[in-house]
Amino acid sequence: TMTIDGGNRVVDVHVRSGVFSSDTIFDYSTGYVATRLFSRNACFIMKLDKNRFPELERLGRVAFERQTMRTVYSPDNVWVEFQSGHSRLGDMEDWLRYGKPIERLCAGLPLYQ
């Protein structure tokens, strides 16, 4: 499911698929994306690349276009691969940078950037 909060410029995506379940926050206000993978009990955070992600105003339209929803290989889909690295717990400086929605999603979990 996808929830778009245009006022706060935040998109919340929930994927419920057993061991592959995840929650993702796209915070267009801060420019960060965070994904919480439940199987790994960790959060992965990256800078939102404006050249690869659709603008918030366009995202709602893209989400409901039947053609986009039918194919995994749509040019509107973005695939990200995270490399193994060192994790750390977020501190106050991180949460100021990432914003409250990402803090609520990832607080207390190892962060991978």
Side-chain angles (χ1 to χ4, degrees), residues 37-86:
L37 297 177
F38 293 102
S39 64
R40 303 233 3 229
N41 200 29
C43 262
F44 298 87
I45 298 177
M46 64 183 241
K47 191 78 173 147
L48 195 145
D49 182 350
K50 295 179 191 289
N51 296 322
R52 303 198 40 103
F53 286 89
E55 286 296 320
L56 180 63
E57 294 74 20
R58 185 169 176 267
L59 193 60
R61 289 190 309 270
V62 170
F64 293 105
E65 290 175 0
R66 296 186 82 194
Q67 189 67 11
T68 303
M69 297 304 287
R70 284 188 187 158
T71 176
V72 172
Y73 300 104
S74 166
D76 294 316
N77 290 337
V78 177
W79 296 95
V80 176
E81 181 179 338
F82 287 95
Q83 300 293 326
S84 294
H86 300 288

